[in-house]
Amino acid sequence: MAQTTVVALLHGPDQPGLVARVSGWIFERGGNILHADQHRDMEAGVFFQRVEWVSASGADMDAVNAETSAFAEFAAGLGMKARLATSARRPRVAVLVSKFDHCFHDLALRWQAGEFAGELVGVLSNHPDLAEAAAHYGLPYELVPVSAATKADAEARQLAVLRGWGADLAVMARYMQVLSADFLGTWAKPVINIHHSFLPAFAGGKPYHQAHARGVKLIGATAHYATAVLDDGPIIYQDVARVTHRHGVDDMIRMGRDLEKLVLAKAVRLHLDNRVLAYGNKTVVFD
Amino acid sequence: MAQTTVVALLHGPDQPGLVARVSGWIFERGGNILHADQHRDMEAGVFFQRVEWVSASGADMDAVNAETSAFAEFAAGLGMKARLATSARRPRVAVLVSKFDHCFHDLALRWQAGEFAGELVGVLSNHPDLAEAAAHYGLPYELVPVSAATKADAEARQLAVLRGWGADLAVMARYMQVLSADFLGTWAKPVINIHHSFLPAFAGGKPYHQAHARGVKLIGATAHYATAVLDDGPIIYQDVARVTHRHGVDDMIRMGRDLEKLVLAKAVRLHLDNRVLAYGNKTVVFD
Amino acid sequence: MAQTTVVALLHGPDQPGLVARVSGWIFERGGNILHADQHRDMEAGVFFQRVEWVSASGADMDAVNAETSAFAEFAAGLGMKARLATSARRPRVAVLVSKFDHCFHDLALRWQAGEFAGELVGVLSNHPDLAEAAAHYGLPYELVPVSAATKADAEARQLAVLRGWGADLAVMARYMQVLSADFLGTWAKPVINIHHSFLPAFAGGKPYHQAHARGVKLIGATAHYATAVLDDGPIIYQDVARVTHRHGVDDMIRMGRDLEKLVLAKAVRLHLDNRVLAYGNKTVVFD
Amino acid sequence: MAQTTVVALLHGPDQPGLVARVSGWIFERGGNILHADQHRDMEAGVFFQRVEWVSASGADMDAVNAETSAFAEFAAGLGMKARLATSARRPRVAVLVSKFDHCFHDLALRWQAGEFAGELVGVLSNHPDLAEAAAHYGLPYELVPVSAATKADAEARQLAVLRGWGADLAVMARYMQVLSADFLGTWAKPVINIHHSFLPAFAGGKPYHQAHARGVKLIGATAHYATAVLDDGPIIYQDVARVTHRHGVDDMIRMGRDLEKLVLAKAVRLHLDNRVLAYGNKTVVFD
């Protein structure tokens, strides 16, 4: 019989017995816990948990849905917010691009290789450049040009496209436009961005130029959830690479492509595996 | 009221409900779980768990001891082996050295800085060289020379010294003698060794010379539990550093000192935090 | 006027004045040295140098060729072997593949992005699987099946294909056949292989399985020149990634793909930039 | 016969033939170049070189001094500034500390182990805490308390102490006072500082608290030359370590100690090996 696994991401005020109660609830319903991981933010008094279990309901999706609803209610009774996902539904991912193609190819090839627990469903761009590449991967391509004058209209069209694709996640793969606070609020689903610096250093434009001018010995990349404040959202993953005085801005751009690809792919993977819980301006990553 | 925390390291045949049963047992006795982490070796069908909780018994050590005994019995009833430790008893660590002092200084300074959940209790050496350094840190120093002819006698004396110190763990901080299978069997407590290569590459003597001769581009260090087979015990931690054609054997030895210090200290720290569970020839490290 | 740059890779018995003589020779002919780097192997008494200069001959290729010939003669007079390359001729690279496509896509995308100082000219495979991918990049695809019985014939065909493409370098991008000593001797040009372990650990087949069985805490990848002895040629570049007890063989294979891509691409890039000088079983990499 | 090696660090306007002229000058005087490395800042049109040679003057220090003077004159004739050092004179290093002892122990142990091409000559502190540790290493300890009111007087005393020791380099080993622009100007010799963040992120006070508040996934340390602008001087070396949501500020402080030790020691080593050339707000590090 086919298995269905459920993942719950919980957080709320800490109190004794949460681990026992959650695992007890699952055990009583015949669930078998595959992984359970917790974290306490001692200062804030917040408890976080990721728990993944095999549901006793097998492939009976009505039963599985009833179980996740019941779990959410149970968690609410403990004062906790719960986000639930099941293996029966693969999240749908839209990719936003401009002209740079390295992150896009990287995401598409990983998707084809089966590295992601989700489906790429479309490519949204403000430029026509990557249309052919998208077609090669069998992905629909929507061109929505953006200018200062047309920004509001463009964002309305972008929203319609994302909703039309039934997207659960938008990934900015070196998409060179800022998404407005209005857009993010209306969309109300996660957006992952890759910034080509080790944030909070070198936020804003031309971070490799900034890094070169400052003479740093490491360059970085940061994947974070986009928020209304530019380059300021909760950080999911970061990495760095060593540079020397010999590396000009062009070398940094080239080396940075590898960093950007790896860091963005790792963040998308973690998100799709339901391992990331954002709270305030930070993340808990159950890796 | 003073708190006592308990850590249990469990492993045994996997079966449904283990997470719920263990956390339920603790919850019923008023314990508050601080951390719980599990692992399943799917191939071997083995379940591993590290669970740490605040005992309801507070500073009443008789009650705490009764609780740990009861837990061990409970775990045995589930078919699992349990290793239990409490914050009330700090493990006692003996350090074995020869002439190299870098790992010894590093361990002693970290101990003084409060980085270890344990106490250094003595230094055992086959050479007199580090006696003064040990005295500086206020540590007893026992000199037990070892030669091929006197090895059996020397090991008997070493055992007596370790037992006299009430040591729970022996750390070979670049100790240049092999401990015999007899010694390890009689001692029957963990021994952590640092080998100056990325095992299994370059086991045996002069690993930096071997690495230089082979022309590798990374050198490594490996901390592992000592077993009767040289350089073959369960690996706890490893790290590497980049080298080039410019690095001769002497440079590798110098750079390797930093690797050896960091890798050994990390392994000792993980062990003293009761985060390492060895099984077969491998380790589960609940980091 | 168009510039031509020349790179010379020299090695031979060390003697005083080599740096001055080489730079003097270039200066006298109006050349402008862009980079010069040296290394002495003190034990072996060997001097190595990479020197790159702008030739005074500009785009006059007859003059440039006369200059490189004269330089080779000059170097020979100093008892040194010289390998010379000019920016006027981009090396031609053949890629050997089997069924795995990740290293191939990575090389092809980097080539398209202009990251290599050379041209991909064809794909040679013992399986038909990647034919379409090669076509997508506009690369000819030659299928030469290999079996134990047909190995000699197959290698003869492979040689003919490589020569037909005018290839200067063959890159084994997870090509799953061993090239025979005969093939390597007849081909007599460099072959770069990627091995999916941190050599010399886990040479031979199924290195991730070996790594998993041993319980190492880091996995690696090694790019090296292929020689008649399997997995034993001069190492160009290596890197590692951290793994834990949670990573099964499948996870290692997935994580290893990123290591393999990055390590192979870096080695190919270094080679095409004329930065790698192999001698004996080691390399000098002027990075 | 004893050897004397000379290192010259040069920089000035780029022009053709510099490599040939410098190496020719040395060759004509019977010098044997051990290492020569160059860099061109193409934008700024500046040429940088580090060249190290065995002087033909052997242990005759008058002759060696004449040679270095002549070289400086020769370099000036080429429009270049030259900094010259010989193996005959080991630089003298003063260490500035406050209460943290980890960087101090690390520097002192490396000095004892012979890792530095220089001598520790004294410890200067605004607190008495490390006096005994300094005595243990046989180092003089000067206590100069600093308060806002006494800062000018204190700096005058500090200068007198440093000069009394004949110090060539001051190392701020987690010294918790800012050195004034006046002090730096009067002292007019290099000062290396370790800042416990990945600059330019988290300059100023309490960088680990800042890092924790921002939720970064890597913490860093930066060794730089101190200038009149706090945490803004030319960066010599940086490194990072991975952190997760589990690491509180205390964990970051503990992990940061290792970063600070390694990064500061590396920077001091590079400086004492005459491998660092600061210009503008950046460094060229001939590693």
Side-chain angles (χ1 to χ4, degrees):
Chain A
M1 191 189 71
Q3 271 194 351
T4 304
T5 60
V6 181
V7 176
L9 283 168
L10 302 158
H11 72 286
D14 194 18
Q15 53 181 296
L18 287 174
V19 174
R21 278 177 187 151
V22 169
S23 56
W25 191 95
I26 295 165
F27 185 47
E28 284 161 22
R29 278 143 194 89
N32 190 23
I33 293 176
L34 294 176
H35 301 287
D37 199 2
Q38 308 84 38
H39 173 62
R40 274 178 181 76
D41 183 325
M42 299 294 193
E43 289 167 45
V46 180
F47 174 87
F48 302 88
Q49 188 175 39
R50 180 187 186 274
V51 57
E52 181 174 0
W53 69 94
V54 179
S55 167
S57 309
D60 175 349
M61 287 317 297
D62 288 344
V64 169
N65 289 337
E67 184 176 347
T68 57
S69 296
F71 187 91
E73 210 170 306
F74 159 73
L78 293 170
M80 293 203 287
K81 286 185 187 163
R83 200 170 87 214
L84 284 135
T86 77
S87 59
R89 185 175 179 287
R90 286 170 69 79
R92 298 171 66 79
V93 182
V95 184
L96 278 63
V97 301
S98 291
K99 295 184 173 181
F100 296 121
D101 65 357
H102 54 285
C103 284
F104 171 64
H105 281 300
D106 188 70
L107 292 172
L109 287 166
R110 288 178 196 275
W111 167 56
Q112 285 194 340
E115 290 189 19
F116 292 136
E119 298 297 335
L120 297 202
V121 295
V123 182
L124 182 57
S125 183
N126 58 333
H127 290 287
D129 304 54
L130 304 195
E132 194 185 316
H136 173 62
Y137 295 109
L139 292 168
Y141 192 85
E142 290 286 339
L143 175 63
V144 181
V146 181
S147 69
T150 65
K151 179 120 183 168
D153 284 353
E155 289 198 342
R157 284 188 53 199
Q158 290 171 329
L159 268 175
V161 168
L162 293 179
R163 285 171 175 165
W165 287 334
D168 303 294
L169 171 70
V171 176
M172 300 170 75
R174 297 298 314 278
Y175 178 67
M176 303 301 280
Q177 295 285 325
V178 176
L179 299 178
S180 74
D182 273 357
F183 176 94
L184 292 170
T186 312
W187 164 245
K189 289 185 179 177
V191 176
I192 296 178
N193 183 43
I194 179 75
H195 183 75
H196 39 312
S197 84
F198 178 77
L199 288 175
F202 310 132
K206 294 195 173 283
Y208 294 125
H209 290 78
Q210 292 184 57
H212 190 258
R214 179 60 188 91
V216 290
K217 301 301 186 187
L218 297 166
I219 56 169
T222 303
H224 63 95
Y225 290 116
T227 60
V229 182
L230 183 65
D231 299 332
D232 191 54
I235 294 170
I236 305 170
Y237 195 70
Q238 302 185 286
D239 208 351
V240 294
R242 197 161 287 285
V243 292
T244 75
H245 58 275
R246 296 196 190 285
H247 295 98
V249 170
D250 287 350
D251 299 300
M252 290 181 176
I253 289 171
R254 174 182 53 78
M255 296 168 68
R257 286 200 293 260
D258 282 332
L259 276 178
E260 295 160 27
K261 288 188 292 187
L262 291 168
V263 168
L264 180 59
K266 172 96 176 188
V268 169
R269 182 177 164 85
L270 288 168
H271 178 90
L272 293 175
D273 285 345
N274 297 295
R275 297 186 177 279
V276 191
L277 212 163
Y279 76 109
N281 204 35
K282 300 166 72 166
T283 60
V284 170
V285 179
F286 292 109
D287 194 4
Chain B
M1 190 188 75
Q3 271 194 349
T4 304
T5 59
V6 182
V7 176
L9 283 168
L10 301 157
H11 73 286
D14 193 18
Q15 53 183 294
L18 288 175
V19 174
R21 279 177 186 149
V22 169
S23 56
W25 190 96
I26 294 165
F27 185 47
E28 285 162 21
R29 277 145 195 88
N32 190 22
I33 293 176
L34 295 175
H35 301 287
D37 198 1
Q38 308 84 37
H39 173 61
R40 277 179 180 74
D41 183 325
M42 298 294 191
E43 289 167 46
V46 181
F47 174 88
F48 302 87
Q49 188 176 37
R50 179 185 186 276
V51 57
E52 181 174 359
W53 70 93
V54 179
S55 167
S57 308
D60 175 351
M61 287 318 297
D62 287 344
V64 169
N65 289 337
E67 185 175 346
T68 57
S69 296
F71 186 92
E73 209 170 308
F74 160 72
L78 293 170
M80 295 203 286
K81 286 183 188 166
R83 201 169 87 214
L84 284 136
T86 77
S87 59
R89 184 176 178 286
R90 284 171 71 78
R92 298 171 66 80
V93 181
V95 184
L96 278 63
V97 300
S98 291
K99 295 183 173 183
F100 296 119
D101 65 357
H102 54 284
C103 283
F104 171 65
H105 280 300
D106 187 70
L107 292 172
L109 287 167
R110 288 178 195 274
W111 167 55
Q112 285 193 341
E115 289 189 19
F116 292 135
E119 297 298 334
L120 297 203
V121 294
V123 182
L124 181 57
S125 182
N126 57 333
H127 290 287
D129 304 55
L130 303 194
E132 194 185 317
H136 174 63
Y137 295 108
L139 291 169
Y141 192 85
E142 290 287 337
L143 175 63
V144 181
V146 181
S147 68
T150 65
K151 179 118 182 170
D153 283 355
E155 289 199 342
R157 284 189 54 198
Q158 289 172 328
L159 268 175
V161 168
L162 293 179
R163 286 171 173 164
W165 287 335
D168 302 293
L169 170 70
V171 176
M172 300 169 75
R174 295 300 313 278
Y175 178 68
M176 303 301 279
Q177 295 285 326
V178 176
L179 299 178
S180 73
D182 273 358
F183 176 94
L184 293 170
T186 312
W187 164 244
K189 289 184 179 177
V191 176
I192 295 177
N193 183 43
I194 179 75
H195 183 74
H196 39 314
S197 85
F198 179 75
L199 287 176
F202 311 132
K206 294 194 174 285
Y208 294 125
H209 289 77
Q210 292 182 57
H212 189 258
R214 179 59 187 92
V216 289
K217 300 301 186 186
L218 297 166
I219 57 170
T222 303
H224 63 95
Y225 289 116
T227 60
V229 182
L230 184 65
D231 299 332
D232 191 53
I235 294 170
I236 304 169
Y237 195 70
Q238 301 185 286
D239 208 350
V240 294
R242 198 161 287 285
V243 292
T244 75
H245 59 273
R246 296 196 190 285
H247 294 99
V249 170
D250 287 350
D251 298 300
M252 290 182 176
I253 289 171
R254 172 181 54 78
M255 295 169 68
R257 285 199 293 261
D258 281 333
L259 276 178
E260 296 160 26
K261 288 187 292 188
L262 292 168
V263 169
L264 179 59
K266 173 98 176 187
V268 168
R269 181 175 165 85
L270 288 168
H271 178 90
L272 293 174
D273 284 345
N274 296 296
R275 296 186 178 279
V276 190
L277 212 163
Y279 76 109
N281 203 36
K282 300 165 73 166
T283 59
V284 170
V285 179
F286 292 109
D287 194 4
Chain C
M1 191 189 73
Q3 271 193 352
T4 304
T5 59
V6 181
V7 176
L9 283 168
L10 301 158
H11 73 286
D14 194 18
Q15 53 182 298
L18 288 174
V19 174
R21 279 177 186 149
V22 169
S23 55
W25 190 95
I26 295 165
F27 186 47
E28 284 161 23
R29 277 145 195 88
N32 190 24
I33 293 177
L34 294 176
H35 302 286
D37 199 0
Q38 309 83 37
H39 173 62
R40 276 180 180 75
D41 183 325
M42 297 294 192
E43 288 167 45
V46 180
F47 173 89
F48 302 88
Q49 187 176 39
R50 180 186 187 275
V51 57
E52 181 174 0
W53 70 93
V54 179
S55 168
S57 308
D60 176 349
M61 287 318 298
D62 287 344
V64 169
N65 290 336
E67 185 175 346
T68 57
S69 297
F71 187 91
E73 209 169 307
F74 160 71
L78 294 170
M80 294 203 288
K81 286 182 188 165
R83 202 169 87 213
L84 284 136
T86 77
S87 60
R89 186 176 177 285
R90 285 170 70 80
R92 298 171 66 80
V93 181
V95 184
L96 280 63
V97 300
S98 291
K99 296 183 173 183
F100 296 120
D101 65 357
H102 54 285
C103 283
F104 171 64
H105 280 300
D106 187 70
L107 292 172
L109 287 167
R110 288 178 196 275
W111 167 56
Q112 284 194 341
E115 290 189 19
F116 292 135
E119 297 297 335
L120 297 202
V121 294
V123 182
L124 181 56
S125 182
N126 58 332
H127 291 286
D129 304 54
L130 304 194
E132 193 185 317
H136 173 63
Y137 295 109
L139 292 169
Y141 192 83
E142 289 288 337
L143 174 62
V144 181
V146 181
S147 69
T150 64
K151 179 119 183 170
D153 283 354
E155 290 199 342
R157 285 188 53 200
Q158 290 172 329
L159 268 175
V161 168
L162 294 179
R163 286 171 175 164
W165 287 335
D168 302 295
L169 170 70
V171 176
M172 301 170 74
R174 297 300 311 279
Y175 178 67
M176 303 301 279
Q177 295 285 326
V178 176
L179 299 178
S180 73
D182 272 359
F183 176 94
L184 293 169
T186 311
W187 164 244
K189 289 184 179 177
V191 176
I192 296 177
N193 183 43
I194 180 74
H195 183 75
H196 39 313
S197 84
F198 179 76
L199 288 176
F202 311 132
K206 295 194 172 283
Y208 294 125
H209 290 77
Q210 293 184 56
H212 190 258
R214 179 60 187 91
V216 290
K217 300 300 186 188
L218 297 167
I219 56 169
T222 303
H224 63 94
Y225 289 116
T227 60
V229 181
L230 184 66
D231 298 333
D232 190 54
I235 294 169
I236 304 169
Y237 195 70
Q238 302 185 286
D239 208 351
V240 294
R242 198 162 288 284
V243 292
T244 75
H245 58 275
R246 296 197 190 283
H247 295 99
V249 170
D250 287 350
D251 298 301
M252 290 182 177
I253 289 170
R254 173 182 53 79
M255 296 168 68
R257 286 200 291 261
D258 281 333
L259 276 178
E260 295 160 27
K261 287 188 291 188
L262 291 168
V263 168
L264 179 59
K266 172 96 176 190
V268 169
R269 181 176 165 85
L270 289 168
H271 178 89
L272 292 175
D273 284 345
N274 296 296
R275 297 186 178 278
V276 190
L277 212 162
Y279 77 107
N281 203 36
K282 302 166 73 167
T283 60
V284 170
V285 179
F286 292 109
D287 194 4
Chain D
M1 191 188 73
Q3 271 193 350
T4 304
T5 60
V6 181
V7 176
L9 283 168
L10 302 158
H11 73 285
D14 194 18
Q15 52 182 297
L18 287 174
V19 173
R21 278 177 187 150
V22 169
S23 55
W25 191 96
I26 295 165
F27 185 47
E28 284 161 23
R29 278 144 195 87
N32 190 24
I33 293 176
L34 295 176
H35 302 286
D37 199 0
Q38 308 83 38
H39 173 61
R40 275 180 182 74
D41 183 324
M42 298 293 192
E43 288 168 47
V46 181
F47 174 88
F48 303 87
Q49 186 175 39
R50 180 187 186 274
V51 56
E52 181 174 359
W53 69 93
V54 179
S55 168
S57 308
D60 175 350
M61 288 317 297
D62 288 344
V64 169
N65 289 338
E67 185 175 347
T68 57
S69 297
F71 187 92
E73 209 169 307
F74 159 72
L78 293 169
M80 294 203 288
K81 286 182 187 165
R83 201 170 88 214
L84 283 135
T86 77
S87 59
R89 185 173 179 288
R90 285 170 70 78
R92 298 171 66 80
V93 182
V95 184
L96 279 64
V97 301
S98 290
K99 295 184 174 182
F100 296 120
D101 65 356
H102 54 286
C103 284
F104 171 64
H105 280 300
D106 188 69
L107 292 172
L109 287 167
R110 288 178 196 274
W111 167 56
Q112 285 193 340
E115 288 188 19
F116 291 136
E119 297 296 336
L120 298 202
V121 295
V123 182
L124 181 57
S125 182
N126 58 333
H127 290 286
D129 304 55
L130 303 195
E132 194 185 317
H136 173 63
Y137 295 108
L139 291 169
Y141 192 85
E142 289 288 337
L143 175 62
V144 181
V146 181
S147 69
T150 64
K151 179 119 182 169
D153 284 355
E155 290 199 341
R157 284 189 54 199
Q158 290 172 328
L159 268 175
V161 168
L162 293 180
R163 286 171 173 164
W165 287 335
D168 303 294
L169 172 70
V171 177
M172 299 170 76
R174 297 299 312 278
Y175 179 67
M176 303 301 279
Q177 295 285 327
V178 176
L179 299 178
S180 73
D182 274 358
F183 176 94
L184 292 170
T186 312
W187 163 244
K189 290 184 178 176
V191 176
I192 295 177
N193 183 43
I194 180 76
H195 183 75
H196 39 313
S197 85
F198 179 75
L199 288 175
F202 311 132
K206 294 195 175 282
Y208 294 126
H209 289 77
Q210 292 183 57
H212 190 258
R214 179 59 187 91
V216 290
K217 300 301 185 187
L218 297 166
I219 56 169
T222 303
H224 63 95
Y225 290 116
T227 60
V229 182
L230 184 65
D231 299 332
D232 191 53
I235 294 171
I236 305 169
Y237 195 70
Q238 302 185 286
D239 209 351
V240 294
R242 198 161 286 285
V243 291
T244 75
H245 58 274
R246 295 195 191 286
H247 295 99
V249 170
D250 287 350
D251 298 300
M252 289 182 178
I253 289 171
R254 173 182 53 78
M255 295 168 69
R257 286 200 293 261
D258 281 333
L259 276 178
E260 295 160 27
K261 288 187 293 188
L262 291 168
V263 168
L264 180 59
K266 173 97 175 187
V268 169
R269 181 176 166 84
L270 288 168
H271 177 90
L272 293 174
D273 285 346
N274 296 296
R275 296 185 178 280
V276 190
L277 213 163
Y279 76 109
N281 203 34
K282 301 166 72 166
T283 60
V284 170
V285 179
F286 292 109
D287 194 5

